[in-house]
Amino acid sequence: MSVFTPVTEDALGEWLSNYAIGRLVRLQGISAGVQNSNFFVTTTLGRYVLTLFETMPRAELPFYLHLMAHLARHGLPVPAPIADLDNEYLGTLSGKPAVLVKCLTGASDMQPDLDRCRKMGTMLAGLHLAGQRFGRRQDNPRGPAWRTRTAQAVRHYLPDDERTLLDAEIQFQQTIDIDALPAGVIHADVFRDNVLWDGSDVGGVIDFYFAGNDALLFDVAVTVNDWCSTETRELDPVRTRAFLEGYHTERPLTDAEHAAWPAMLRAAALRFWLSRAEDFHLPRDGEMVLVKDPDEYRDMLRLRIAASHDLPWITP
C-alpha cells in the first residue's frame, strides 16, 4: 500500500459528498505495500481505507470488490467495500479508479506463535470454502503467463547463477499439472502484514487485490512460506504442521495436493522473487513507495528446491 497518486483534502472532501459516511476529518497516506495508492480516511462517522488503483484495468476491479462483499456477507473478517449514494462500489478520484472500504480493527503480528499459525490455517480454509460459492471468475493475475512474461523482463538484470535458477524453475513449473488440484478463488497474498489480530482472534484479512482463480494449494503455499519460515528462510516444521492441520480441519487436503506440495512451495517462492525483482529493477515513481528485497525469495526458492523430499506436511 504505497502512495503513487497524491490526493488533496479538498478533492477527497468533495468526492465524499456522494457517500453517507460523514465529513472528512483526516487524510493520511499509507507507506506499506507496493501496488496501489492507499490512505487512511477518518470521517465524522468512522475510519476507512481509500485505495486508488494505479495499474489494474478498471474492468477487472469489480471482481475484487464483489469478492470482498461476498466474503463479508458470509461472516468473514474482510474489508467490505462502501457503496456510494448511487449504490456503486467503484468511483473515480484524482483520475484513478477508487474505492473506500471499512477500516478493520487489530494489528499485524510479525512473529506469530503456534496457535496463531493454526488459526490462520483455519481462516484461510474458511476463505476458500466461502469462495467456492462466489459467482464471478478471474484468472490469477500472477499466474503462469505473468511468471513467464516477468521472468523475461527481469532476467537480463540478474547475474548468471540467478538467470540459470530462474530459467530452470520456469521450465520446471511448466511440467506441473495444476488442473489436477482443487481450485477456486484464492487471496494470493496472505502475508503476516495483511492479517490483523484483535486479541486472540483474527480481526481482519486485508489487501485482496491479487485475488483470482487458481489452485487452492498455491494460496496455502504462499501463506506458509511467509508465516512458517525461519529467519534463514527454511520452513519451521512445527509451525507448518500446525498451519496445515488448522486448514485440514476445515477443508481436507487431498493426496494429489500432498504430491504437489513441494512444487507449490517453489511456485509461491518464485512468484514473490519475480514480483520483487520487477519492483527493484523496474521501479515506478511515487510519493511513498516501499520496495522489498527480492533476495529473500530467491534464497527461499533455492531452499525449497533443496528440501523438496523433506518438507513438513500434516501428520497422518
Side-chain angles (χ1 to χ4, degrees), residues 13-312:
E14 181 179 353
W15 192 70
L16 289 176
S17 66
N18 198 37
Y19 287 81
I21 60 171
R23 299 183 307 278
L24 179 64
V25 174
R26 187 181 183 207
L27 171 66
Q28 177 186 1
I30 303 175
S31 61
V34 294
Q35 292 295 323
N36 302 310
S37 295
N38 291 271
F39 307 83
F40 287 124
V41 174
T42 304
T43 76
T44 51
L45 292 181
R47 197 162 187 247
Y48 307 86
V49 173
L50 167 69
T51 297
L52 273 61
F53 299 96
E54 297 293 340
T55 60
M56 294 180 186
R58 190 181 187 96
E60 294 181 4
L61 296 174
F63 173 87
Y64 305 111
L65 305 182
H66 285 275
L67 173 62
M68 290 187 289
H70 170 84
L71 295 174
R73 285 196 301 270
H74 284 74
L76 292 162
V78 305
I82 306 299
D84 64 18
L85 296 179
D86 299 313
N87 207 31
E88 297 290 341
Y89 292 141
L90 188 62
T92 301
L93 180 62
S94 297
K96 299 292 175 67
V99 67
L100 276 172
V101 301
K102 186 70 177 176
C103 189
L104 300 175
T105 60
S108 297
D109 181 358
M110 301 308 290
Q111 295 182 315
D113 59 18
L114 204 63
D115 182 60
R116 288 192 169 181
C117 287
R118 182 176 288 105
K119 284 186 175 179
M120 194 58 233
T122 302
M123 175 60 67
L124 185 62
L127 290 171
H128 288 170
L129 290 171
Q132 296 289 303
R133 297 298 181 92
F134 184 54
R136 298 173 183 238
R137 192 188 189 285
Q138 183 167 286
D139 288 340
N140 178 3
R142 296 294 185 268
W146 173 88
R147 288 199 304 253
T148 300
R149 183 172 63 251
T150 306
Q152 289 301 314
V154 304
R155 68 183 305 279
H156 69 277
Y157 293 101
L158 306 178
D160 289 346
D161 63 323
E162 293 185 16
R163 281 200 299 270
T164 299
L165 173 65
L166 178 58
D167 292 346
E169 190 60 26
I170 290 289
Q171 185 175 12
F172 169 77
Q173 290 296 332
Q174 290 172 347
T175 69
I176 305 303
D177 182 12
I178 298 296
D179 293 338
L181 302 175
V185 180
I186 66 170
H187 180 288
D189 195 26
V190 188
F191 277 42
R192 289 163 291 171
D193 57 356
N194 281 333
V195 175
L196 308 176
W197 291 92
D198 187 3
S200 61
D201 298 323
V202 178
V205 180
I206 63 175
D207 200 0
F208 278 78
Y209 301 117
F210 288 113
N213 287 77
D214 207 333
L216 301 178
L217 189 67
F218 177 77
D219 212 12
V220 178
V222 167
T223 312
V224 164
N225 271 344
D226 181 68
W227 284 70
C228 303
S229 289
T230 67
E231 291 183 0
T232 59
R233 319 296 185 229
E234 296 167 308
L235 281 182
D236 178 329
V238 178
R239 280 188 291 154
T240 300
R241 289 193 182 96
F243 186 100
L244 294 174
E245 287 165 2
Y247 185 94
H248 185 71
T249 60
E250 299 299 315
R251 188 192 75 82
L253 293 156
T254 67
D255 291 341
E257 288 176 309
H258 186 189
W261 182 230
M264 287 299 97
L265 287 167
R266 290 167 60 169
L270 174 64
R271 177 261 187 263
F272 286 96
W273 178 30
L274 282 172
S275 61
R276 291 185 179 189
E278 182 181 42
D279 292 335
F280 183 83
H281 295 294
L282 301 166
R284 290 180 289 147
D285 293 333
E287 281 193 336
M288 303 161 56
V289 179
L290 176 64
V291 177
K292 298 181 179 180
D293 182 8
D295 293 353
E296 176 184 357
Y297 274 85
R298 174 206 64 197
D299 295 344
M300 185 180 293
L301 175 58
R302 286 173 170 158
L303 287 167
R304 299 297 179 268
I305 293 170
S308 289
H309 300 292
D310 188 29
L311 291 165

